[in-house]
Amino acid sequence: MTIEWAWISDHAGDLTTLTLSHLQAALTAVLLGLLISLPLAVLAHRVRPLRGFLLGLSNVLFTIPSIAVFVLLLPVSGLTRTTTVIGLTIYTLVVLLRNTVEGLDSVPAKAREAAIAMGTRPLRTLLTVELPLALPVIMAGVRIATVMSISLVSVATYIGDGGLGQLFTDGFQRNFPTPVVVGVVLTLLLALVADALLVAVQYVLTPWTRQRHPKSGKA
Amino acid sequence: MYELFKDLGSWLVSSEQWTGPDGIGHRLAEHLQYSLIATVIAAVIALPLGLLIGHTGRGAFLAINLASFGRALPTVGLVVLVFLASGLSMTPVYVALVALAIPSIVTNTYAGMTAVDPEVKDAARGQGMRGRQVLLQVEIPLALPLIMTGLRLALIQVVATATIAAYVSFGGLGRYVFDGLAQRDLVQVLGGAVLVAVVAVVLDLALSGLQRVLFRHRTAA
């Protein structure tokens, strides 16, 4: 199996387009997932009976194969980017919801009580005390969801989308390994870079975890 | 939309759909066969690795990064790549499915081993148990619920992904998805997708039920 380097330089433009399209699908899904899972997680954290239901439901959704999710969406949104993004969002939801609920659980009761004792209103407590303290666990979820989405985009190649995944179909149909190798390497690189950036974002957002061991906040 | 669901219903229940070499019964058996073989191979590789990392406490970095790498690896790309390198055989499918299953098993086995109370291990050593005895008689039994969870997650992921066998011309339930896509027969595609989803969900529920029965005396699950 040989790599044709000339093919790569000849198709630099196409590869850039595919990479950007790949990234766009994955990031849109993670952002949508965050927007949907945050309120749901707060709800699941506050209302005990809802918690089991929401987490159970998201676990069931997670067991549905990705190709099946894309295909099942075809009658709704057809062979479009929308189908790809909805499918990916469903997967990110599972990880994000679970981690956000666990993150809120990890907030020390004393911190919450102190905020209440100081007369902070519930919404403000949530935004300025609970969510920041839950951030390390939430960010762990965001990292997993991002890496997973970037890898899953290529499954959408079966429904005519798939960003870099199109290179796999292309290489397969023409019995030509170069695009496949390039596609796998670029997907791994995207995931690696995105993960590193998220680590950096978390480092900037949570200055208080740097001085001591992250778990020292536990009472 | 309604018509589609009606067609899908009749596709799923019609008797000719369930028998013969292209019948659901046969495709289901193939699908389960691929999934079980891949999960067993993955377990043979991943279980000793997870136990070793957990027991010695060395290589935790490897375990964590392996999981991250496994999540990032595009399965479709891997199948096509191995297919182009090795030709028409089940090898590409098994390579991809095993690669998919290994991270879940390693990370959960490792997590189970690290969750074992160090005082319990100390007590075992204090009673004169050797390293191997501690591993076999204390650590593994205590880590078993999480080890089982890892195996279950791996199997479910593999079942969900074994559809890919049909992409490189083999059988399994993915046959309906890819044949349907090629023939623009949406009912067949949906039928295949529904079957895979149902098998994955049912297996998950059955195995987590089994786990609950087996470990009902334990507090940690």
Side-chain angles (χ1 to χ4, degrees):
Chain A
M1 200 163 65
T2 48
I3 308 281
E4 287 187 28
W5 298 100
W7 183 89
I8 302 178
S9 48
D10 286 349
H11 292 79
D14 295 339
L15 291 175
T16 316
T17 315
L18 286 177
T19 308
L20 289 178
S21 141
H22 195 102
L23 201 60
Q24 192 229 344
L27 293 186
T28 314
V30 175
L31 284 180
L32 277 178
L34 266 177
L35 280 179
I36 300 171
S37 66
L38 263 181
L40 282 180
V42 172
L43 210 63
H45 180 250
R46 299 277 191 277
V47 188
R48 288 281 141 174
L50 266 180
R51 181 198 180 94
F53 172 75
L54 284 173
L55 290 180
L57 183 72
S58 71
N59 275 339
V60 171
L61 282 179
F62 200 61
T63 50
I64 301 176
S66 49
I67 175 76
V69 170
F70 289 131
V71 167
L72 292 171
L73 284 168
L74 286 183
V76 185
S77 44
L79 293 167
T80 61
R81 179 35 65 94
T82 316
T83 306
T84 312
V85 172
I86 298 177
L88 292 174
T89 306
I90 292 177
Y91 280 94
T92 63
L93 265 182
V94 180
V95 180
L96 292 173
L97 186 64
R98 194 186 52 213
N99 273 60
T100 311
V101 172
E102 278 173 13
L104 289 172
D105 284 346
S106 74
V107 174
K110 282 184 184 165
R112 196 176 293 127
E113 285 158 11
I116 297 169
M118 282 172 30
T120 320
R121 289 173 182 279
L123 184 67
R124 207 181 152 81
T125 309
L126 176 72
L127 293 178
T128 60
V129 177
E130 290 178 280
L131 282 179
L133 285 175
L135 209 57
V137 187
I138 297 176
M139 283 300 285
V142 174
R143 286 174 60 193
I144 294 177
T146 306
V147 169
M148 206 177 62
S149 295
I150 290 176
S151 152
L152 272 179
V153 175
S154 41
V155 177
T157 180
Y158 300 134
I159 56 158
D161 188 8
L164 292 166
Q166 289 175 34
L167 296 172
F168 306 150
T169 338
D170 180 42
F172 181 59
Q173 283 164 352
R174 296 195 287 143
N175 197 11
F176 180 38
T178 305
V180 186
V181 175
V182 172
V184 171
V185 170
L186 283 178
T187 310
L188 287 176
L189 271 179
L190 269 187
L192 197 78
V193 171
D195 197 47
L197 283 178
L198 285 171
V199 173
V201 168
Q202 186 185 343
Y203 183 83
V204 173
L205 286 181
T206 57
W208 62 89
T209 57
R210 279 177 236 158
Q211 256 82 45
R212 293 159 296 166
H213 189 263
K215 277 187 177 166
S216 63
K218 205 165 84 179
Chain B
M1 194 76 163
Y2 172 71
E3 279 300 308
L4 189 65
F5 280 114
K6 230 177 72 182
D7 289 347
L8 181 61
S10 43
W11 185 89
L12 283 170
V13 296
S14 68
S15 59
E16 64 264 38
Q17 207 56 252
W18 281 87
T19 48
D22 193 37
I24 295 172
H26 182 233
R27 293 296 180 215
L28 179 65
E30 285 176 332
H31 200 96
L32 292 176
Q33 186 200 335
Y34 303 157
S35 309
L36 282 178
I37 292 177
T39 310
V40 168
I41 298 174
V44 168
I45 301 169
L47 276 180
L49 197 61
L51 291 175
L52 191 75
I53 295 172
H55 182 66
T56 59
R58 273 180 234 142
F61 186 74
L62 176 83
I64 293 157
N65 282 290
L66 187 70
S68 184
F69 181 76
R71 265 193 291 272
L73 203 62
T75 312
V76 189
L78 193 58
V79 169
V80 173
L81 198 60
V82 181
F83 175 83
L84 294 180
S86 71
L88 183 66
S89 70
M90 272 300 283
T91 316
V93 179
Y94 283 131
V95 168
L97 293 181
V98 168
L100 183 76
I102 285 178
S104 303
I105 304 177
V106 172
T107 46
N108 275 283
T109 305
Y110 164 73
M113 295 284 286
T114 49
V116 175
D117 191 342
E119 285 184 17
V120 176
K121 282 187 272 185
D122 282 346
R125 275 197 209 92
Q127 284 186 323
M129 278 191 178
R130 289 167 186 282
R132 227 177 66 150
Q133 288 174 308
V134 176
L135 176 71
L136 293 176
Q137 296 172 21
V138 178
E139 288 180 297
I140 292 181
L142 285 174
L144 209 54
L146 265 176
I147 295 175
M148 289 270 299
T149 300
L151 288 171
R152 190 188 84 219
L153 290 177
L155 180 65
I156 301 305
Q157 272 180 302
V158 167
V159 166
T161 316
T163 18
I164 213 160
Y167 188 60
V168 285
S169 80
F170 288 92
L173 293 169
R175 208 54 278 154
Y176 302 120
V177 175
F178 289 104
D179 287 350
L181 281 173
Q183 299 161 10
R184 308 219 160 255
D185 176 3
L186 190 59
V187 172
Q188 195 184 345
V189 181
L190 289 177
V194 168
L195 285 171
V196 180
V198 168
V199 171
V201 172
V202 167
L203 259 181
D204 190 42
L205 289 178
L207 290 176
S208 47
L210 181 72
Q211 267 181 291
R212 226 166 286 143
V213 173
L214 285 177
F215 303 116
R216 61 173 175 270
H217 304 299
R218 310 272 184 94
T219 42

